[in-house]
Amino acid sequence: MIKLFFLFLLKDFKSYLLDSNKSWFAISFFLLCVLIFPLTYGSSVDLLKKTAIASIWICALFSNLISLESLFKEDYQNGVLLQYRINKIPFSIIVITKCISHWVFTGLPIIFFSPFFLIFLSGSSSDALGLFFSLLFGTPLFSLLGMPIAALTLGATARGPLLIFLSIPFFLPIIIFGVLGVNSFNSGSYSEYYLLCAILSISIVILPYITIKILQESLK
Amino acid sequence: MIDEILNFINMNGHSFYIWTAYFIPLTLIFSYILIQRSKLKRMKKYETKI
Amino acid sequence: MLKYFHKYANPGKFLTLALPVRKIMGIVSIGVVTVGLIFALFLSPPDYQQKETVRIMYIHVPAAWMSLMIYAFIFFSSVVFLVWKFPLFLILAKESVTIGVIFTFTALLTGSLWGKPTWGTYWVWDARLTSFLVLFFIYLGLKLIMDSFSYSSKGDYAFGYLALIGGFNLPIIKFSVDWWNTLHQPASILRTGGISISSEMLIPLFLMAIGFLFLFIYILLVSVEINLKKRKIIYYKNKPDN
């Protein structure tokens, strides 16, 4: 079982690394998105300084939304998922490895580059640690919450817009707590971080299970 | 008499808020009821044809 | 109990039960709403603080209750559909979505119209209002996902699971006024320690709430009947020997 798990993880990583489209798409989209904010604010550095954290969170949300579409799509359309089911490979392994690889290639780069982007957007460097931790708890939640919704919309006629419309309401609480957490980080209150951790620990237990159920239903 | 009615409609200067708050939702709900009722009547007619 | 449940989960049996209920509800709901409106607009006294604007409460609060209750109803009927696969519960859940959209919109609109004279703004981004807006978008998402599949059976399960995941929002809405410091006032009726509202205001409030509940049952039964009749017509039209 554990051997199978690592085999699938390796396969997913390879598919991300070999397809340069997939692995670089999220982070390059993030970079492009970040570029928009300084340009639209004109030359007002003050405004940019105040909204730096919010803009990084918005860009993280958008790059996650964009990359969510390819989460199960290829495997579903090629019939690979059906093959897994016929060969009795447990869906828990597939779902968990997909989630981990999706987070590693969309969430993790954003987390590590976020301090640089904060300086790039002329935000104060004292917020960098707070932003790092809020993204560390927030981006796995994006991947986890997006997973069941991506599985739900498999086979829909207009999948992209539907996926974005359905997932934004579920992502809103994470963004709210993430941004609030960074703002209160320097004053020494970590309540939003505890809340994000609590949501994360509940989601890790429940959401993969729901995703497995949905995937099994979508293959009938 | 007319003064009293006008006074009532004016609602202490808050007439706009109160009357729109009652008018728009009630029209929405009752128009939805009317639409569904007419649909049901159409369905019944169609059903008897078959 | 379970025996009756199984018996009336059959669509045909359900219709025989629903027909008299629908007719009674149609008359009673209109009557109760009319009486409630008369109480709300004419007979109830103005509040000593908010003056006449308190009258908006009699439509705002029942609509908000209804939109939460309809979502809970959709949630539980989707669970019943997903676990026991009764098609009737799916139809019940699907047909209540539009009514839920209308009630949620009502609560948001009247809330912002009430906010302007009392708080000074139409909208603030506090916890209760934001979570209610999220509820509105979840309703719209449910409405969208119903018709976006070319094979209906897949859409049925997608609808059920989306309603299931969206249920996380209900406790957030209910407790948002207790967990965060909000501009929206905390619950004054359904709370521990009794009701904190005068009985003269309670009468129109409960009349409107009961009237809206009956209206919801009436519209739901009409919509379910339409849906079942539509299925029947499609079935007879597609029969090979016809």
Side-chain angles (χ1 to χ4, degrees), chain C residues 158-175:
Chain C
F159 176 88
Y161 279 109
L162 188 68
L164 197 72
I165 304 166
F168 87 97
N169 199 21
L170 282 189
I172 293 179
I173 294 174
K174 176 74 186 76
F175 297 112

Side-chain angles (χ1 to χ4, degrees), chain A residues 179-190:
Chain A
V179 174
L180 279 180
V182 180
N183 288 336
S184 60
F185 183 76
N186 283 332
S187 56
S189 99
Y190 307 126

Side-chain angles (χ1 to χ4, degrees), chain C residues 29 47 64 68 71 81 106 155 173:
Chain C
S29 64
D47 190 56
L68 289 180
Y71 198 88
F81 168 68
T106 303
I173 294 174

Side-chain angles (χ1 to χ4, degrees), chain C residues 202-228:
Chain C
L202 220 55
I203 296 168
L205 194 60
F206 275 116
L207 276 176
M208 289 297 278
I210 292 167
F212 276 179
L213 181 66
F214 286 173
L215 264 185
F216 163 65
I217 295 171
Y218 174 66
I219 310 175
L220 181 65
L221 290 178
V222 170
S223 309
V224 167
E225 208 174 324
I226 292 169
N227 196 316
L228 289 175

